[in-house]
Amino acid sequence: MGGSAASDLALTAAAAQGQQEARRQLVVRLLPRVRSTVRYLASRSPDVDDMTQRALVELLGAAGSFRGESSLDTWADRVTTRVVYRLLHKRRLQSEREEGVDEAPEFPDWSREPSDPGERLHLRKALAALLARLPEERRVALVLKHVHGYSVEEIAEQTRAPVNTVRDRLRVARAELRRWMDESEERHEA
Amino acid sequence: MRPECERYEALVAAAEAGSARTAEDAAFVAAHLAACGECAALERGLGLLALTDEEPAHFPLDELATRRLVNAVLAEADAVEERQERRGFRVVLSLVAALVALVAGGLAVRAWRGTAPGAGAPVAPMAVVTPAPEVPPTPVVEPPKPVEVGREVEAQLRLALGEKGAPLGRGLAVGATATAKGVRGYAVGPYVWLRVVEGEVTLAALKEKQVRVALARGRVDVQVAPGQGVALEVVTEDATVAVVGTRFSVARRAGGSRVVVAHGQVDVRTALGVQPLGAGQGYDVGGSVGAATPGELSALAELAAQQQLSGAGAGRLAWARGQAASIDGVSFDRGPIELLLPPGRHRVEVRGAGKAKKVETVTAREPARAGGGAASTPSGGAGEAWLPPLPTNAEPLGPGAAELMEQAQQARGRKAWREAERAYRAIIEGWPSSSVAGAALVSLGQLEVDHLAAPRAGLARCEAYVAQYPSGPLRSEAELCRIRAFRALGDAASERAAIDGFLLQFPDDFSVAKLKARRDALAP
């Protein structure tokens, strides 16, 4: 879905100058990825559209800072993660209870590769619901690793945590996911 | 966890830490994944999380929801920038003020120090150091938030023009439909003044101080007194204009609705999202926002003065068809018009219809009893309900096209595809030439291709949109729908040709990379 590096740079530069059509194109370009990231990071689906909107607003405001040193997607991932992390942290400080975690779709079948977009969506919703059960630091580490493909060192830098702490978070997160997937698989077979 | 799975996890962690894998470990990993359903399922699940160029949207929104979100983002980004500019301006002003104070103080001190006391010499007076005057910060005026108008129709008022005689009721009548053939002015209680310039208007009073005006065709100019908590909504087939305390007009013609704002702010809700409009702006629904014309603004300028002389409760004044009037120097349009004058003395001129100009002073008193001139029966004063009693046979207004579009959107969110299909069809059949029908055509076509297993029907709809709206805002979506329809029909040649056409027309669209890859895959 990406354009060339040169076209991405031109697009962000035009958006930073306030050209309306460029701003619209940039938002349309980034929206699917930003929304997917937010969906995996935010534990409550009522927050998804609000956080997506705020992340995209911040991306527009920061358009002038994109220098083309990384890909546009990588740049957008960093800003989005930072925004969501900040909003989640603010929510924690305001002592909002983690209510209304999304219901997982019933009986996801993890035993085989999904064959069509509908099945992939079904499994991704189930995954998002399982991720929502993880504590925030482990969820963020797992999303950065497997949704965005960052290395452990890059995750440590983004989350301002030691590298070994990130490794530990990933290890425990994998173990918890494995356990929950086993449990749901048993229900599916039953 | 079984020992083999623990070994597998340890090797995964080691690889993440940068340790090179031996041949034996690599063979173990491959064999274990082939044999262990649990580890394979975990890796499969984690693999599904990856965002790729081919699949950047794991939780896709449909076209309308996407457009709404995009519009909301752009509007919020503009508002953020505007606030930052104002803040920056105030900071600059404060810095300038501080700098001026510093310089002034420095100059005063220098002036004082320039004269040293000597023996016998007069002592120079100490200069008074006064700081530069503070520049007050620029006030930030937040636009009024639109009020959500309730949907229950408690009463329905219809305008009476009095074609058969004297107007009914207190300024507005109950139970008749207005079909204006000229300019007609109406007071809806003390705070709302309407002028139906042309066309047909139906009024519905949802609650006290909440009024809905349905405009099927023509134009209505509206003045709502600010600060009185009156919420008014003008509904056409493709737009809903919500306002509190402002002055604007809505016109509905064959090409779609146009909204012009002279004062205050309105929100225009359409199938494509919410468009806020401020003073001096005009908006063609489905098009762009621009400046209102001088003619449009001057037509609205007199409304404010008219509104202050209308519906304020004390005395009734009416003039007949063909007559025009001015009250206290404020011009009103040709009658029949009836309004309620506020208490006090008013200079009234009535002219036209072959009669000489008649000028007189009308005194309106409490309890209301209109004096002299063209006044008719006295009206009620303060303390009466401002809406007449309800007609028992009133029919509620049916859903407009914009509401049907919202219903379709909600149905799609619930994956109720057939329900969405019915709503789209109702829009296309009920408002065939409106811009909303265009959006419904594309949305229905996409639904038929993607969810109703009817690619031929979907193809026909999207091609119909392209034919009817060659420069329409949804042209690219319609073309993408055609491409998907050809793919679903297994017509590779047509699909490839459609892709080539799209790439020529929309070279900067965000779908380009994906389409190029698909075209290459279809190479003959």
Side-chain angles (χ1 to χ4, degrees), chain A residues 1 23-24 28 35-36 40 53 110-111 124 127 147 174 178, chain B residues 9 43-44 48 51 53 55-56 58-59 71 76 78 81 510:
Chain A
M1 197 59 60
R23 285 157 71 88
R24 179 175 289 273
V28 169
R35 192 165 187 273
S36 300
Y40 287 128
Q53 183 171 327
W110 304 110
S111 65
R124 281 171 177 147
L127 277 168
V147 175
R174 283 177 65 101
R178 170 194 289 272
Chain B
E9 286 294 327
E43 295 304 343
R44 200 177 296 121
L48 277 175
L51 286 172
D53 282 353
E55 269 197 298
H58 286 189
F59 305 97
N71 284 340
E76 189 182 335
D78 286 343
E81 282 180 17
F510 65 88

PDB file of all heavy atoms in Angstrom, chain A residues 1 23-24 28 35-36 40 53 110-111 124 127 147 174 178, chain B residues 9 43-44 48 51 53 55-56 58-59 71 76 78 81 510:
ATOM      1  N   MET A   1       0.807  -1.188   0.000  1.00  0.00           N
ATOM      2  CA  MET A   1       0.000   0.000   0.000  1.00  0.00           C
ATOM      3  C   MET A   1       0.857   1.261   0.000  1.00  0.00           C
ATOM      4  O   MET A   1       0.355   2.371  -0.080  1.00  0.00           O
ATOM      5  CB  MET A   1      -0.906  -0.015   1.253  1.00  0.00           C
ATOM      6  CG  MET A   1      -2.079   0.940   1.197  1.00  0.00           C
ATOM      7  SD  MET A   1      -3.175   0.646  -0.190  1.00  0.00           S
ATOM      8  CE  MET A   1      -3.735  -1.010   0.074  1.00  0.00           C
ATOM      9  N   ARG A  23      -3.400  16.879   2.575  1.00  0.00           N
ATOM     10  CA  ARG A  23      -3.749  16.449   3.928  1.00  0.00           C
ATOM     11  C   ARG A  23      -4.768  15.315   3.873  1.00  0.00           C
ATOM     12  O   ARG A  23      -4.651  14.318   4.588  1.00  0.00           O
ATOM     13  CB  ARG A  23      -4.306  17.633   4.717  1.00  0.00           C
ATOM     14  CG  ARG A  23      -3.243  18.627   5.153  1.00  0.00           C
ATOM     15  CD  ARG A  23      -3.809  20.002   5.421  1.00  0.00           C
ATOM     16  NE  ARG A  23      -4.625  20.094   6.610  1.00  0.00           N
ATOM     17  CZ  ARG A  23      -4.155  20.350   7.834  1.00  0.00           C
ATOM     18  NH1 ARG A  23      -2.868  20.502   8.020  1.00  0.00           N
ATOM     19  NH2 ARG A  23      -4.979  20.457   8.860  1.00  0.00           N
ATOM     20  N   ARG A  24      -5.743  15.478   2.996  1.00  0.00           N
ATOM     21  CA  ARG A  24      -6.764  14.435   2.887  1.00  0.00           C
ATOM     22  C   ARG A  24      -6.128  13.126   2.416  1.00  0.00           C
ATOM     23  O   ARG A  24      -6.399  12.058   2.944  1.00  0.00           O
ATOM     24  CB  ARG A  24      -7.864  14.891   1.919  1.00  0.00           C
ATOM     25  CG  ARG A  24      -8.964  13.891   1.698  1.00  0.00           C
ATOM     26  CD  ARG A  24     -10.055  14.485   0.821  1.00  0.00           C
ATOM     27  NE  ARG A  24     -10.803  15.491   1.531  1.00  0.00           N
ATOM     28  CZ  ARG A  24     -11.868  15.229   2.293  1.00  0.00           C
ATOM     29  NH1 ARG A  24     -12.285  13.995   2.438  1.00  0.00           N
ATOM     30  NH2 ARG A  24     -12.494  16.191   2.913  1.00  0.00           N
ATOM     31  N   VAL A  28      -6.103   9.519   4.377  1.00  0.00           N
ATOM     32  CA  VAL A  28      -6.672   8.318   3.746  1.00  0.00           C
ATOM     33  C   VAL A  28      -5.611   7.236   3.622  1.00  0.00           C
ATOM     34  O   VAL A  28      -5.860   6.044   3.818  1.00  0.00           O
ATOM     35  CB  VAL A  28      -7.259   8.677   2.365  1.00  0.00           C
ATOM     36  CG1 VAL A  28      -7.599   7.437   1.569  1.00  0.00           C
ATOM     37  CG2 VAL A  28      -8.500   9.535   2.540  1.00  0.00           C
ATOM     38  N   ARG A  35      -5.544   2.664  12.265  1.00  0.00           N
ATOM     39  CA  ARG A  35      -6.705   2.078  12.947  1.00  0.00           C
ATOM     40  C   ARG A  35      -6.414   0.652  13.399  1.00  0.00           C
ATOM     41  O   ARG A  35      -6.813   0.262  14.494  1.00  0.00           O
ATOM     42  CB  ARG A  35      -7.914   2.117  12.023  1.00  0.00           C
ATOM     43  CG  ARG A  35      -9.192   1.795  12.747  1.00  0.00           C
ATOM     44  CD  ARG A  35     -10.424   2.182  11.941  1.00  0.00           C
ATOM     45  NE  ARG A  35     -11.606   2.009  12.745  1.00  0.00           N
ATOM     46  CZ  ARG A  35     -12.283   0.877  12.866  1.00  0.00           C
ATOM     47  NH1 ARG A  35     -11.870  -0.189  12.212  1.00  0.00           N
ATOM     48  NH2 ARG A  35     -13.344   0.795  13.639  1.00  0.00           N
ATOM     49  N   SER A  36      -5.719  -0.105  12.547  1.00  0.00           N
ATOM     50  CA  SER A  36      -5.375  -1.471  12.938  1.00  0.00           C
ATOM     51  C   SER A  36      -4.483  -1.453  14.172  1.00  0.00           C
ATOM     52  O   SER A  36      -4.678  -2.221  15.124  1.00  0.00           O
ATOM     53  CB  SER A  36      -4.665  -2.186  11.793  1.00  0.00           C
ATOM     54  OG  SER A  36      -5.485  -2.248  10.650  1.00  0.00           O
ATOM     55  N   TYR A  40      -5.365  -2.954  18.058  1.00  0.00           N
ATOM     56  CA  TYR A  40      -4.616  -3.961  18.809  1.00  0.00           C
ATOM     57  C   TYR A  40      -4.109  -3.410  20.131  1.00  0.00           C
ATOM     58  O   TYR A  40      -3.950  -4.141  21.100  1.00  0.00           O
ATOM     59  CB  TYR A  40      -3.427  -4.475  17.978  1.00  0.00           C
ATOM     60  CG  TYR A  40      -3.817  -5.384  16.838  1.00  0.00           C
ATOM     61  CD1 TYR A  40      -3.383  -5.143  15.545  1.00  0.00           C
ATOM     62  CD2 TYR A  40      -4.624  -6.505  17.055  1.00  0.00           C
ATOM     63  CE1 TYR A  40      -3.736  -5.990  14.500  1.00  0.00           C
ATOM     64  CE2 TYR A  40      -4.978  -7.354  16.020  1.00  0.00           C
ATOM     65  CZ  TYR A  40      -4.535  -7.086  14.745  1.00  0.00           C
ATOM     66  OH  TYR A  40      -4.888  -7.916  13.715  1.00  0.00           O
ATOM     67  N   GLN A  53      -8.640   8.854  15.549  1.00  0.00           N
ATOM     68  CA  GLN A  53      -8.758  10.257  15.117  1.00  0.00           C
ATOM     69  C   GLN A  53      -7.638  11.094  15.708  1.00  0.00           C
ATOM     70  O   GLN A  53      -7.002  11.893  15.013  1.00  0.00           O
ATOM     71  CB  GLN A  53     -10.123  10.798  15.556  1.00  0.00           C
ATOM     72  CG  GLN A  53     -10.378  12.227  15.098  1.00  0.00           C
ATOM     73  CD  GLN A  53     -11.805  12.661  15.362  1.00  0.00           C
ATOM     74  OE1 GLN A  53     -12.730  11.854  15.294  1.00  0.00           O
ATOM     75  NE2 GLN A  53     -11.993  13.930  15.658  1.00  0.00           N
ATOM     76  N   TRP A 110      -7.946 -22.038  15.733  1.00  0.00           N
ATOM     77  CA  TRP A 110      -6.543 -21.707  15.529  1.00  0.00           C
ATOM     78  C   TRP A 110      -5.791 -22.812  14.806  1.00  0.00           C
ATOM     79  O   TRP A 110      -4.606 -22.676  14.524  1.00  0.00           O
ATOM     80  CB  TRP A 110      -5.850 -21.477  16.889  1.00  0.00           C
ATOM     81  CG  TRP A 110      -6.496 -20.435  17.747  1.00  0.00           C
ATOM     82  CD1 TRP A 110      -7.174 -20.638  18.901  1.00  0.00           C
ATOM     83  CD2 TRP A 110      -6.524 -19.020  17.510  1.00  0.00           C
ATOM     84  NE1 TRP A 110      -7.626 -19.438  19.421  1.00  0.00           N
ATOM     85  CE2 TRP A 110      -7.232 -18.429  18.587  1.00  0.00           C
ATOM     86  CE3 TRP A 110      -6.016 -18.186  16.514  1.00  0.00           C
ATOM     87  CZ2 TRP A 110      -7.454 -17.068  18.689  1.00  0.00           C
ATOM     88  CZ3 TRP A 110      -6.233 -16.819  16.612  1.00  0.00           C
ATOM     89  CH2 TRP A 110      -6.956 -16.282  17.689  1.00  0.00           C
ATOM     90  N   SER A 111      -6.500 -23.917  14.525  1.00  0.00           N
ATOM     91  CA  SER A 111      -5.768 -25.111  14.092  1.00  0.00           C
ATOM     92  C   SER A 111      -5.332 -25.046  12.639  1.00  0.00           C
ATOM     93  O   SER A 111      -4.546 -25.877  12.196  1.00  0.00           O
ATOM     94  CB  SER A 111      -6.626 -26.363  14.313  1.00  0.00           C
ATOM     95  OG  SER A 111      -7.769 -26.292  13.465  1.00  0.00           O
ATOM     96  N   ARG A 124      -8.576 -12.290  13.725  1.00  0.00           N
ATOM     97  CA  ARG A 124      -7.919 -11.080  14.224  1.00  0.00           C
ATOM     98  C   ARG A 124      -8.723 -10.441  15.352  1.00  0.00           C
ATOM     99  O   ARG A 124      -8.160  -9.898  16.293  1.00  0.00           O
ATOM    100  CB  ARG A 124      -7.712 -10.081  13.076  1.00  0.00           C
ATOM    101  CG  ARG A 124      -6.518 -10.457  12.223  1.00  0.00           C
ATOM    102  CD  ARG A 124      -6.421  -9.641  10.984  1.00  0.00           C
ATOM    103  NE  ARG A 124      -5.208 -10.013  10.244  1.00  0.00           N
ATOM    104  CZ  ARG A 124      -5.114  -9.997   8.929  1.00  0.00           C
ATOM    105  NH1 ARG A 124      -6.132  -9.623   8.193  1.00  0.00           N
ATOM    106  NH2 ARG A 124      -3.982 -10.330   8.335  1.00  0.00           N
ATOM    107  N   LEU A 127      -7.893 -12.416  18.276  1.00  0.00           N
ATOM    108  CA  LEU A 127      -6.553 -12.054  18.770  1.00  0.00           C
ATOM    109  C   LEU A 127      -6.597 -10.732  19.525  1.00  0.00           C
ATOM    110  O   LEU A 127      -5.973 -10.591  20.578  1.00  0.00           O
ATOM    111  CB  LEU A 127      -5.587 -11.916  17.588  1.00  0.00           C
ATOM    112  CG  LEU A 127      -4.972 -13.199  17.082  1.00  0.00           C
ATOM    113  CD1 LEU A 127      -4.289 -12.964  15.746  1.00  0.00           C
ATOM    114  CD2 LEU A 127      -3.976 -13.757  18.091  1.00  0.00           C
ATOM    115  N   VAL A 147       2.974  -6.832  15.211  1.00  0.00           N
ATOM    116  CA  VAL A 147       2.157  -6.046  14.285  1.00  0.00           C
ATOM    117  C   VAL A 147       3.060  -5.182  13.405  1.00  0.00           C
ATOM    118  O   VAL A 147       2.889  -5.109  12.193  1.00  0.00           O
ATOM    119  CB  VAL A 147       1.148  -5.161  15.052  1.00  0.00           C
ATOM    120  CG1 VAL A 147       0.382  -4.258  14.099  1.00  0.00           C
ATOM    121  CG2 VAL A 147       0.186  -6.028  15.856  1.00  0.00           C
ATOM    122  N   ARG A 174       3.831 -14.256  25.254  1.00  0.00           N
ATOM    123  CA  ARG A 174       3.667 -15.430  24.391  1.00  0.00           C
ATOM    124  C   ARG A 174       3.085 -16.588  25.187  1.00  0.00           C
ATOM    125  O   ARG A 174       2.191 -17.313  24.723  1.00  0.00           O
ATOM    126  CB  ARG A 174       5.002 -15.844  23.791  1.00  0.00           C
ATOM    127  CG  ARG A 174       5.490 -14.998  22.635  1.00  0.00           C
ATOM    128  CD  ARG A 174       6.855 -15.479  22.185  1.00  0.00           C
ATOM    129  NE  ARG A 174       6.813 -16.823  21.636  1.00  0.00           N
ATOM    130  CZ  ARG A 174       6.810 -17.112  20.335  1.00  0.00           C
ATOM    131  NH1 ARG A 174       6.828 -16.138  19.448  1.00  0.00           N
ATOM    132  NH2 ARG A 174       6.795 -18.372  19.930  1.00  0.00           N
ATOM    133  N   ARG A 178      -0.448 -18.304  24.456  1.00  0.00           N
ATOM    134  CA  ARG A 178      -0.473 -19.745  24.157  1.00  0.00           C
ATOM    135  C   ARG A 178      -1.524 -20.433  25.033  1.00  0.00           C
ATOM    136  O   ARG A 178      -2.331 -21.228  24.544  1.00  0.00           O
ATOM    137  CB  ARG A 178       0.921 -20.319  24.423  1.00  0.00           C
ATOM    138  CG  ARG A 178       1.017 -21.814  24.388  1.00  0.00           C
ATOM    139  CD  ARG A 178       2.343 -22.239  24.994  1.00  0.00           C
ATOM    140  NE  ARG A 178       3.457 -21.914  24.123  1.00  0.00           N
ATOM    141  CZ  ARG A 178       3.914 -22.710  23.160  1.00  0.00           C
ATOM    142  NH1 ARG A 178       3.346 -23.882  22.948  1.00  0.00           N
ATOM    143  NH2 ARG A 178       4.932 -22.341  22.414  1.00  0.00           N
TER     144      ARG A 178
ATOM    145  N   GLU B   9      10.388 -22.452  22.700  1.00  0.00           N
ATOM    146  CA  GLU B   9      10.294 -21.051  23.147  1.00  0.00           C
ATOM    147  C   GLU B   9      11.674 -20.489  23.471  1.00  0.00           C
ATOM    148  O   GLU B   9      11.963 -19.319  23.201  1.00  0.00           O
ATOM    149  CB  GLU B   9       9.372 -20.941  24.368  1.00  0.00           C
ATOM    150  CG  GLU B   9       7.885 -21.083  24.049  1.00  0.00           C
ATOM    151  CD  GLU B   9       7.333 -19.943  23.183  1.00  0.00           C
ATOM    152  OE1 GLU B   9       7.807 -18.784  23.320  1.00  0.00           O
ATOM    153  OE2 GLU B   9       6.441 -20.213  22.359  1.00  0.00           O
ATOM    154  N   GLU B  43       2.239 -19.437  16.435  1.00  0.00           N
ATOM    155  CA  GLU B  43       2.968 -18.711  15.379  1.00  0.00           C
ATOM    156  C   GLU B  43       2.016 -18.240  14.282  1.00  0.00           C
ATOM    157  O   GLU B  43       2.180 -17.151  13.725  1.00  0.00           O
ATOM    158  CB  GLU B  43       4.062 -19.597  14.776  1.00  0.00           C
ATOM    159  CG  GLU B  43       5.164 -19.974  15.736  1.00  0.00           C
ATOM    160  CD  GLU B  43       5.859 -18.776  16.388  1.00  0.00           C
ATOM    161  OE1 GLU B  43       5.728 -17.634  15.883  1.00  0.00           O
ATOM    162  OE2 GLU B  43       6.514 -18.968  17.424  1.00  0.00           O
ATOM    163  N   ARG B  44       1.022 -19.073  13.992  1.00  0.00           N
ATOM    164  CA  ARG B  44       0.049 -18.686  12.972  1.00  0.00           C
ATOM    165  C   ARG B  44      -0.710 -17.441  13.424  1.00  0.00           C
ATOM    166  O   ARG B  44      -0.903 -16.492  12.672  1.00  0.00           O
ATOM    167  CB  ARG B  44      -0.916 -19.844  12.740  1.00  0.00           C
ATOM    168  CG  ARG B  44      -1.668 -19.789  11.415  1.00  0.00           C
ATOM    169  CD  ARG B  44      -2.542 -20.994  11.242  1.00  0.00           C
ATOM    170  NE  ARG B  44      -1.773 -22.217  11.162  1.00  0.00           N
ATOM    171  CZ  ARG B  44      -1.896 -23.256  11.992  1.00  0.00           C
ATOM    172  NH1 ARG B  44      -2.756 -23.232  12.980  1.00  0.00           N
ATOM    173  NH2 ARG B  44      -1.152 -24.328  11.845  1.00  0.00           N
ATOM    174  N   LEU B  48      -0.665 -13.551  11.884  1.00  0.00           N
ATOM    175  CA  LEU B  48      -1.841 -12.805  11.415  1.00  0.00           C
ATOM    176  C   LEU B  48      -1.808 -11.355  11.854  1.00  0.00           C
ATOM    177  O   LEU B  48      -2.478 -10.504  11.274  1.00  0.00           O
ATOM    178  CB  LEU B  48      -3.121 -13.446  11.974  1.00  0.00           C
ATOM    179  CG  LEU B  48      -3.685 -14.641  11.223  1.00  0.00           C
ATOM    180  CD1 LEU B  48      -4.874 -15.213  11.985  1.00  0.00           C
ATOM    181  CD2 LEU B  48      -4.113 -14.272   9.816  1.00  0.00           C
ATOM    182  N   LEU B  51       1.072  -6.252   9.988  1.00  0.00           N
ATOM    183  CA  LEU B  51       0.526  -5.316   9.008  1.00  0.00           C
ATOM    184  C   LEU B  51       1.439  -5.321   7.794  1.00  0.00           C
ATOM    185  O   LEU B  51       2.636  -5.097   7.908  1.00  0.00           O
ATOM    186  CB  LEU B  51       0.466  -3.902   9.590  1.00  0.00           C
ATOM    187  CG  LEU B  51      -0.620  -3.632  10.627  1.00  0.00           C
ATOM    188  CD1 LEU B  51      -0.439  -2.264  11.238  1.00  0.00           C
ATOM    189  CD2 LEU B  51      -1.994  -3.743   9.999  1.00  0.00           C
ATOM    190  N   ASP B  53       1.881  -4.458   3.342  1.00  0.00           N
ATOM    191  CA  ASP B  53       1.383  -3.598   2.261  1.00  0.00           C
ATOM    192  C   ASP B  53       0.124  -4.181   1.642  1.00  0.00           C
ATOM    193  O   ASP B  53      -0.780  -3.455   1.247  1.00  0.00           O
ATOM    194  CB  ASP B  53       2.449  -3.440   1.167  1.00  0.00           C
ATOM    195  CG  ASP B  53       3.511  -2.442   1.592  1.00  0.00           C
ATOM    196  OD1 ASP B  53       3.322  -1.809   2.649  1.00  0.00           O
ATOM    197  OD2 ASP B  53       4.507  -2.306   0.876  1.00  0.00           O
ATOM    198  N   GLU B  55      -2.089  -6.033   3.161  1.00  0.00           N
ATOM    199  CA  GLU B  55      -3.213  -5.979   4.109  1.00  0.00           C
ATOM    200  C   GLU B  55      -2.913  -4.978   5.217  1.00  0.00           C
ATOM    201  O   GLU B  55      -2.578  -5.363   6.332  1.00  0.00           O
ATOM    202  CB  GLU B  55      -3.439  -7.359   4.747  1.00  0.00           C
ATOM    203  CG  GLU B  55      -4.416  -8.240   4.021  1.00  0.00           C
ATOM    204  CD  GLU B  55      -4.894  -9.373   4.902  1.00  0.00           C
ATOM    205  OE1 GLU B  55      -4.056 -10.204   5.314  1.00  0.00           O
ATOM    206  OE2 GLU B  55      -6.096  -9.420   5.210  1.00  0.00           O
ATOM    207  N   PRO B  56      -3.035  -3.681   4.946  1.00  0.00           N
ATOM    208  CA  PRO B  56      -2.775  -2.716   6.010  1.00  0.00           C
ATOM    209  C   PRO B  56      -3.986  -2.508   6.917  1.00  0.00           C
ATOM    210  O   PRO B  56      -3.884  -1.943   7.985  1.00  0.00           O
ATOM    211  CB  PRO B  56      -2.482  -1.428   5.228  1.00  0.00           C
ATOM    212  CG  PRO B  56      -3.288  -1.566   3.991  1.00  0.00           C
ATOM    213  CD  PRO B  56      -3.350  -3.038   3.666  1.00  0.00           C
ATOM    214  N   HIS B  58      -6.619  -4.297   8.977  1.00  0.00           N
ATOM    215  CA  HIS B  58      -7.103  -5.545   9.561  1.00  0.00           C
ATOM    216  C   HIS B  58      -8.548  -5.438  10.014  1.00  0.00           C
ATOM    217  O   HIS B  58      -9.237  -6.442  10.151  1.00  0.00           O
ATOM    218  CB  HIS B  58      -6.222  -5.934  10.751  1.00  0.00           C
ATOM    219  CG  HIS B  58      -4.882  -6.453  10.340  1.00  0.00           C
ATOM    220  ND1 HIS B  58      -3.999  -7.032  11.222  1.00  0.00           N
ATOM    221  CD2 HIS B  58      -4.278  -6.518   9.130  1.00  0.00           C
ATOM    222  CE1 HIS B  58      -2.917  -7.410  10.576  1.00  0.00           C
ATOM    223  NE2 HIS B  58      -3.062  -7.097   9.307  1.00  0.00           N
ATOM    224  N   PHE B  59      -8.988  -4.213  10.296  1.00  0.00           N
ATOM    225  CA  PHE B  59     -10.366  -4.003  10.743  1.00  0.00           C
ATOM    226  C   PHE B  59     -10.959  -2.903   9.868  1.00  0.00           C
ATOM    227  O   PHE B  59     -11.086  -1.764  10.289  1.00  0.00           O
ATOM    228  CB  PHE B  59     -10.392  -3.603  12.227  1.00  0.00           C
ATOM    229  CG  PHE B  59      -9.676  -4.584  13.103  1.00  0.00           C
ATOM    230  CD1 PHE B  59      -8.373  -4.368  13.489  1.00  0.00           C
ATOM    231  CD2 PHE B  59     -10.302  -5.751  13.507  1.00  0.00           C
ATOM    232  CE1 PHE B  59      -7.696  -5.285  14.280  1.00  0.00           C
ATOM    233  CE2 PHE B  59      -9.637  -6.672  14.298  1.00  0.00           C
ATOM    234  CZ  PHE B  59      -8.337  -6.441  14.681  1.00  0.00           C
ATOM    235  N   ASN B  71     -13.116  13.259   7.425  1.00  0.00           N
ATOM    236  CA  ASN B  71     -13.620  14.634   7.597  1.00  0.00           C
ATOM    237  C   ASN B  71     -13.416  15.109   9.029  1.00  0.00           C
ATOM    238  O   ASN B  71     -13.047  16.261   9.276  1.00  0.00           O
ATOM    239  CB  ASN B  71     -15.110  14.716   7.239  1.00  0.00           C
ATOM    240  CG  ASN B  71     -15.343  14.691   5.745  1.00  0.00           C
ATOM    241  OD1 ASN B  71     -14.436  14.969   4.970  1.00  0.00           O
ATOM    242  ND2 ASN B  71     -16.548  14.329   5.325  1.00  0.00           N
ATOM    243  N   GLU B  76     -10.734  18.580  12.903  1.00  0.00           N
ATOM    244  CA  GLU B  76     -10.061  18.738  14.196  1.00  0.00           C
ATOM    245  C   GLU B  76      -8.658  19.282  14.002  1.00  0.00           C
ATOM    246  O   GLU B  76      -8.203  20.131  14.769  1.00  0.00           O
ATOM    247  CB  GLU B  76     -10.007  17.403  14.943  1.00  0.00           C
ATOM    248  CG  GLU B  76      -9.504  17.568  16.372  1.00  0.00           C
ATOM    249  CD  GLU B  76      -9.401  16.251  17.123  1.00  0.00           C
ATOM    250  OE1 GLU B  76     -10.122  15.305  16.766  1.00  0.00           O
ATOM    251  OE2 GLU B  76      -8.590  16.186  18.062  1.00  0.00           O
ATOM    252  N   ASP B  78      -7.634  21.263  11.650  1.00  0.00           N
ATOM    253  CA  ASP B  78      -7.749  22.696  11.355  1.00  0.00           C
ATOM    254  C   ASP B  78      -7.994  23.483  12.643  1.00  0.00           C
ATOM    255  O   ASP B  78      -7.416  24.550  12.853  1.00  0.00           O
ATOM    256  CB  ASP B  78      -8.917  22.948  10.385  1.00  0.00           C
ATOM    257  CG  ASP B  78      -8.584  22.504   8.968  1.00  0.00           C
ATOM    258  OD1 ASP B  78      -7.378  22.316   8.688  1.00  0.00           O
ATOM    259  OD2 ASP B  78      -9.511  22.336   8.161  1.00  0.00           O
ATOM    260  N   GLU B  81      -4.826  23.779  14.724  1.00  0.00           N
ATOM    261  CA  GLU B  81      -3.882  24.755  14.163  1.00  0.00           C
ATOM    262  C   GLU B  81      -4.350  26.172  14.435  1.00  0.00           C
ATOM    263  O   GLU B  81      -3.539  27.058  14.733  1.00  0.00           O
ATOM    264  CB  GLU B  81      -3.735  24.514  12.657  1.00  0.00           C
ATOM    265  CG  GLU B  81      -2.829  23.339  12.380  1.00  0.00           C
ATOM    266  CD  GLU B  81      -2.669  23.062  10.895  1.00  0.00           C
ATOM    267  OE1 GLU B  81      -2.992  23.944  10.085  1.00  0.00           O
ATOM    268  OE2 GLU B  81      -2.232  21.951  10.577  1.00  0.00           O
ATOM    269  N   PHE B 510      -4.418   6.041  -3.245  1.00  0.00           N
ATOM    270  CA  PHE B 510      -3.675   5.158  -2.351  1.00  0.00           C
ATOM    271  C   PHE B 510      -3.797   3.692  -2.725  1.00  0.00           C
ATOM    272  O   PHE B 510      -3.111   2.847  -2.184  1.00  0.00           O
ATOM    273  CB  PHE B 510      -4.102   5.377  -0.884  1.00  0.00           C
ATOM    274  CG  PHE B 510      -5.524   4.995  -0.578  1.00  0.00           C
ATOM    275  CD1 PHE B 510      -5.852   3.699  -0.208  1.00  0.00           C
ATOM    276  CD2 PHE B 510      -6.549   5.915  -0.655  1.00  0.00           C
ATOM    277  CE1 PHE B 510      -7.152   3.345   0.080  1.00  0.00           C
ATOM    278  CE2 PHE B 510      -7.849   5.563  -0.368  1.00  0.00           C
ATOM    279  CZ  PHE B 510      -8.158   4.280   0.004  1.00  0.00           C
TER     280      PHE B 510
END
